[in-house]
Amino acid sequence: MKEKKTTMTKQVYIKTFGCQMNERDSEIMEQMLAQSGYIPVGEPTNADLVILNTCSIRAKAEQKVFSLLGSLRKQKKQQPDLRIAVAGCVAQQEGEQIFRRMPHVDIVVGTQQLYQLPEMLGRLERQETAREISCDLEKEFIIPPFQKLLQDRPPQSAEFRKFVTIMQGCNNYCSYCVVPTTRGREISRPVADILEEVRLQVNRGIKEITLLGQNVNSYGCTNAVAEKPTGFAYLLKMVAAIPGVQRLRFTTSNPQDLSTELMQCFQELPNLCPHFHLPVQAGSNAVLKRMNRKYTRELYQEKVAELRSYRPDIALCTDVIVGFPGETEEDFAQTMELLETVRFHGSFSFKYSDRPHTRSADFSDKVEEQVKGERLQRFQSRQDAISLERNQEFLGKTVEVMIESCSSADPSEPFQMKGRTGSNHIVHLRSSTQLLPGDLVLVTLTHAGQHSLKGVLKGVLP
Ligand code: 5AD
Ligand code: SF4
């Protein structure tokens, strides 16, 4: 006989698209729903509730969401009391339209209304409403109501790192970017709340913290946060000083707001990891101008040189868009030139894609799809070669690695482990003793591939 689920053990499947901000939001939803009796499951089959936490950064990301929604239609036919919720950036951007296109969706919840989800579900369950939507963009920081939830949760053994959201939204209005529409205006979270969340996490056994915001460098600039001074460098120092924060990272930075004080943190704070994600987007000043990026290639290169003067071993990554409207072969050659001068350790590169309510969507001189594809390919193959050369620079060095996973297929064989360097490189290694996620070890690097390194265990750090 098929086991009948009690009302107390409902199952939720959450699929997360897009950035780390979304990953953190999914975690928050999971925690909230746990309090209403939902347990998370790894696939949609048999779930009572499916949540798609969506991304709209490029057209492709949005298409993925709609195609998954299309396939959920069949599941809902067979399982009529399945509830389907769309959260995140596509929900924020499309609102009511989602019901029109996908009538089997029950809930649309915007990026800043996550905390309403349990109430919305409650109204549906009590059949007070047939559908629920909430998509307002807030004028205050939305996270504080969630903070209490953390205290109730014991740490799980594999948990060793956490994201902590420090701000929401963005005020930069890069001409290609949908984020000001999907995440709203920039609002910083109070310093005291952030520090409290980090302390809570460390007390639960978390060892690595990543501070999250669309534009962390302008933290504290746009609204009064309770403490002065309030800049990002100040916040970073406060977080770094919390005992138990073994590793600290942050993302994402805009080069225009990158201060000397922040760069010096890489010299001053031993637990701040030597890794920096600094999106450049393009190497041509003309393109940067049309993108409404408020720096030049020269300024970007100066910032990189300054950063490296404080922390010579810092690994630098970037984002690049190829085929922005009006990008000529000459413009693109300048992006390639920048790649050669900076020699990024890694990069994320994308073909330009029109997004709703962005200025560049109305630019007339669009680059042909085929040209975009060809430029992307040229960029990526050069980047791959540079990444490999950069990785080879690590050979013979002994570095700190934080273990992420440890497994053994056969008890007589050594444990296979995967970990990460401070510079954010994946390292594979073996050990005859079992190590736990979050353990810090010393590893001498012996092999460099394009996307990862291999090494030999030299010791376990206390
Ligand atoms: N088209 C292509 N790539 C984009 N990105 C943002 N908007 C677009 C767009 N319209 C890229 C940028 C950004 C990264 C997260 O996604 O490089 O840094
Ligand atoms: Fe995607 Fe940007 Fe939304 Fe993150 S904030 S989910 S990258 S659109």
Side-chain angles (χ1 to χ4, degrees):
M1 200 180 82
K2 210 173 158 214
E3 209 177 307
K4 197 170 181 296
K5 281 182 229 157
T6 70
T7 44
M8 287 310 293
T9 57
K10 288 168 286 187
Q11 300 188 335
V12 56
Y13 168 75
I14 307 182
K15 167 88 184 162
T16 310
F17 300 84
C19 64
Q20 290 134 329
M21 195 71 86
N22 263 14
E23 275 179 49
R24 176 72 188 124
D25 287 348
S26 289
E27 225 178 52
I28 289 171
M29 286 192 274
E30 196 184 296
Q31 280 172 239
M32 278 190 308
L33 291 169
Q35 305 220 320
S36 324
Y38 281 90
I39 50 165
V41 290
E43 48 180 317
T45 339
N46 293 330
D48 302 276
L49 170 65
V50 170
I51 303 176
L52 306 189
N53 194 10
T54 62
C55 173
S56 133
I57 196 82
R58 286 169 292 278
K60 227 174 165 179
E62 193 177 327
Q63 282 152 14
K64 274 195 223 157
V65 171
F66 282 103
S67 88
L68 186 51
L69 279 175
S71 59
L72 284 170
R73 196 194 314 247
K74 289 179 214 122
Q75 188 179 337
K76 180 131 178 178
K77 273 210 181 103
Q78 287 157 4
Q79 192 193 329
D81 47 2
L82 169 70
R83 304 265 180 240
I84 300 175
V86 180
C89 291
V90 176
Q92 189 65 47
Q93 178 188 294
E94 298 297 312
E96 290 273 353
Q97 294 287 351
I98 294 180
F99 293 139
R100 252 161 255 152
R101 232 174 119 178
M102 297 283 161
H104 56 295
V105 170
D106 303 283
I107 299 180
V108 171
V109 60
T111 51
Q112 294 175 21
Q113 302 299 330
L114 298 183
Y115 60 92
Q116 298 219 5
L117 196 57
E119 287 163 36
M120 295 165 96
L121 272 165
R123 284 193 291 271
L124 283 178
E125 271 165 24
R126 295 189 299 273
Q127 299 186 335
E128 290 167 19
T129 48
R131 274 175 177 167
E132 284 284 329
I133 178 162
S134 178
C135 284
D136 290 343
L137 285 175
E138 295 286 342
K139 292 182 184 64
E140 281 172 28
F141 198 83
I142 53 151
I143 284 201
F146 301 130
Q147 226 172 347
K148 295 190 277 331
L149 293 170
L150 273 173
Q151 280 146 339
D152 307 330
R153 287 218 317 170
Q156 286 160 7
S157 64
E159 275 189 308
F160 64 94
R161 62 178 167 193
K162 281 284 173 195
F163 297 127
V164 173
T165 304
I166 65 163
M167 58 206 295
Q168 67 196 26
C170 183
N171 284 354
N172 280 331
Y173 293 96
C174 300
S175 60
Y176 52 81
C177 188
V178 80
V179 169
T181 318
T182 59
R183 296 266 172 188
R185 298 299 82 76
E186 192 174 291
I187 301 170
S188 298
R189 181 177 182 194
V191 176
D193 285 359
I194 297 168
L195 298 181
E196 192 192 330
E197 183 171 330
V198 174
R199 279 191 209 102
L200 269 167
Q201 292 293 14
V202 170
N203 291 341
R204 296 173 65 234
I206 296 302
K207 294 175 174 160
E208 179 176 310
I209 296 288
T210 302
L211 304 179
L212 287 184
Q214 250 78 37
N215 185 22
V216 293
N217 298 156
S218 60
Y219 172 80
C221 296
T222 40
N223 61 310
V225 277
E227 280 169 61
K228 302 267 176 202
T230 54
F232 182 60
Y234 168 78
L235 176 71
L236 204 57
K237 288 174 196 169
M238 300 288 284
V239 175
I242 293 176
V245 176
Q246 291 188 6
R247 281 186 168 184
L248 179 58
R249 303 180 188 274
F250 60 84
T251 197
T252 302
S253 304
N254 188 318
Q256 85 196 31
D257 303 310
L258 177 53
S259 67
T260 293
E261 194 191 357
L262 176 58
M263 294 193 252
Q264 285 171 339
C265 287
F266 284 95
Q267 189 174 45
E268 289 166 21
L269 307 176
N271 47 358
L272 181 62
C273 291
H275 172 251
F276 204 131
H277 184 223
L278 192 61
V280 67
Q281 312 298 359
S284 146
N285 288 341
V287 172
L288 286 171
K289 195 155 186 205
R290 285 201 303 280
M291 287 177 160
N292 197 30
R293 302 286 284 181
K294 296 180 184 90
Y295 54 87
T296 58
R297 177 169 57 146
E298 292 74 21
L299 186 77
Y300 185 89
Q301 283 170 326
E302 277 167 32
K303 299 257 185 194
V304 168
E306 192 181 351
L307 196 54
R308 285 179 173 157
S309 76
Y310 300 124
R311 189 76 203 240
D313 63 340
I314 199 161
L316 201 71
C317 286
T318 201
D319 289 353
V320 161
I321 298 176
V322 303
F324 187 76
E327 185 189 74
T328 61
E329 194 51 41
E330 185 51 39
D331 288 323
F332 176 65
Q334 290 180 25
T335 299
M336 293 299 286
E337 229 176 86
L338 182 79
L339 175 58
E340 299 300 335
T341 17
V342 177
R343 292 175 58 76
F344 296 102
H345 286 74
S347 63
F348 300 94
S349 47
F350 313 99
K351 289 194 272 184
Y352 168 78
S353 147
D354 274 341
R355 304 311 294 129
H357 318 294
T358 59
R359 272 204 284 142
S360 62
D362 297 329
F363 292 176
S364 57
D365 40 0
K366 299 282 157 60
V367 175
E368 269 177 51
E369 209 47 41
Q370 186 218 329
V371 176
K372 283 195 268 188
E374 185 255 341
R375 286 181 190 167
L376 189 69
Q377 216 269 322
R378 266 155 71 197
F379 183 87
Q380 289 180 342
S381 70
R382 195 57 203 122
Q383 174 67 69
D384 282 350
I386 292 174
S387 294
L388 181 61
E389 286 164 20
R390 281 292 198 187
N391 288 353
Q392 283 163 345
E393 290 169 14
F394 284 97
L395 291 180
K397 290 193 175 141
T398 300
V399 295
E400 269 184 30
V401 170
M402 192 173 270
I403 299 298
E404 295 191 351
S405 63
C406 176
S407 63
S408 170
D410 172 344
S412 63
E413 288 288 309
F415 292 97
Q416 307 276 344
M417 269 168 283
K418 197 180 92 172
R420 201 177 284 266
T421 63
S423 59
N424 214 26
H425 288 80
I426 299 281
V427 177
H428 297 279
L429 66 145
R430 285 155 174 248
S431 156
S432 50
T433 50
Q434 187 168 16
L435 294 165
L436 293 173
D439 284 347
L440 266 183
V441 295
L442 281 177
V443 175
T444 302
L445 297 166
T446 53
H447 179 270
Q450 222 161 60
H451 302 293
S452 65
L453 304 162
K454 277 187 195 156
V456 178
L457 187 66
K458 285 288 152 164
V460 180
L461 293 168

